[in-house]
Amino acid sequence: MSSIRSAPAVVVGIDGSRAATHAALWAVDEAISRDIPLRLVYVIDPLQTSGVPDGGHTVARAALSDAQRAIDAIGKPVKIETEVLWGRPLTKLMQESRSAAMICVGSVGLNHARRIGGTVATGLAGAALCPVAVIHRPVRAAASPEVGAVVAGVDNGVVLRHAFEEARLRGVPLRTIGDGSGLAEAQLNRRLARWTRLYPDVPIEPCGAAVADSGQLFVTDSRTVRDLRGAHGVGCSMLAVPCGNL
C-alpha cells in the first residue's frame, strides 16, 4: 500500500499494535493544526519476515488499513497518506525524520525491533531530526486520546515553545518543572514571561518534580531522553525536541 508522499507531514509508525493506532489518533490534531498530511508508515523488517508469505506485505497493508479506519471513525478532516517501507524500523523512521514535521510512535509496539541500548521509540526520541512524540496508551484508552496537561521538563526556550503550542492545541494547562533553586526558578520565570505574552490563553500551573500521570504530555529535549531508561519510562506521553533545535 503506497500513496504519493507529501513533505512535510506528521509521520506515524504503524506496526499493527493498539499502541500504534492510539498514536495515530493522537497525531491527527497535529496534522490538522499544521494543515499537512498524516503519513502512516509500516516498516517491514527483513530480519522479522524470513519465511513469511509475501514478505509481510499483507500484514502491513492490513495494519495500515485498520489504523486508517480508526482515524476515519473520529470524523476529523485530515488528509491521510500511507506507505509500506522495507528495512530496519529505526533506520527508516530516522530517514523519515529528515523531512517530517513530527514523528509519532506508541510507547509499546515496535519493541520487537531492538537496537543496542533501547527500543525504536527510544532511539528515535534521542536522535531524530524532528520532534518525536512517544504516546502512552492508558489501559482504558478512549477512542480519541486526551491530554490532561502539558509538562515542560527543561527550562530552555525551544522546549517551552513546543510545550506552549501543545497546551494551546490540546486546550490544557502548562505545568513547569524546576529544580527548586532560586536562580533556576528566576530564569524559568523570565522565559515564561515571554511565552505567556505570546500565549495568553494558556494557563500556567505549578508542578512537582515527578512526571508520572499517564494523562500528561511531557515535553523535553532529546539530550534528556538519552538519559531515560526507555522512551516510555516517564509513565506518560512524551514529546522530545531535537537538541539541534535548542
Side-chain angles (χ1 to χ4, degrees):
M1 178 183 295
S2 178
S3 61
I4 298 175
R5 180 187 305 192
S6 297
V10 174
V11 175
V12 184
I14 298 297
D15 61 1
S17 68
R18 291 183 179 180
T21 298
H22 193 76
L25 293 172
W26 185 92
V28 167
D29 289 338
E30 300 291 337
I32 292 175
S33 70
R34 293 168 172 80
D35 193 25
I36 58 177
L38 184 66
R39 177 169 153 78
L40 308 180
V41 173
Y42 190 108
V43 183
I44 298 177
D45 187 342
L47 297 182
Q48 301 291 326
T49 56
S50 177
V52 176
D54 78 353
H57 279 82
T58 297
V59 172
R61 288 192 294 269
L64 290 170
S65 295
D66 288 345
Q68 183 163 353
R69 280 195 296 270
I71 294 168
D72 290 341
I74 64 177
K76 292 187 176 182
V78 62
K79 179 181 178 181
I80 301 173
E81 299 175 351
T82 61
E83 187 166 6
V84 176
L85 303 176
W86 179 268
R88 300 307 303 271
L90 178 58
T91 300
K92 289 299 181 181
L93 291 175
M94 284 291 292
Q95 291 172 357
E96 291 288 322
S97 77
R98 295 172 183 170
S99 60
M102 178 183 290
I103 291 182
C104 301
V105 295
S107 61
V108 295
L110 293 177
N111 288 351
H112 62 280
R114 294 277 178 170
R115 72 175 187 94
I116 296 174
T119 65
V120 171
T122 306
L124 277 173
L129 301 178
C130 69
V132 174
V134 182
I135 305 304
H136 180 90
R137 180 179 177 270
V139 175
R140 296 180 179 179
S144 182
E146 299 292 338
V147 174
V150 172
V151 178
V154 178
D155 64 341
N156 65 65
V158 175
V159 167
L160 285 174
R161 175 174 64 81
H162 280 274
F164 270 97
E165 289 178 350
E166 289 297 327
R168 171 179 280 178
L169 175 62
R170 307 289 169 176
V172 298
L174 173 63
R175 298 171 182 168
T176 57
I177 299 176
D179 63 8
S181 69
L183 178 61
E185 291 295 329
Q187 291 174 340
L188 180 58
N189 288 336
R190 283 196 295 271
R191 288 192 172 101
L192 283 175
R194 173 194 175 191
W195 294 107
T196 51
R197 289 193 295 270
L198 295 173
Y199 297 85
D201 52 326
V202 176
I204 306 297
E205 295 181 354
C207 180
V211 181
D213 186 343
S214 63
Q216 293 179 343
L217 176 66
F218 179 46
V219 184
T220 188
D221 64 78
S222 55
R223 187 181 300 108
T224 301
V225 172
R226 295 169 194 155
D227 296 330
L228 297 176
R229 295 177 60 187
H232 55 285
V234 295
C236 65
S237 296
M238 178 176 64
L239 178 63
V241 181
C243 294
N245 289 347
L246 302 180

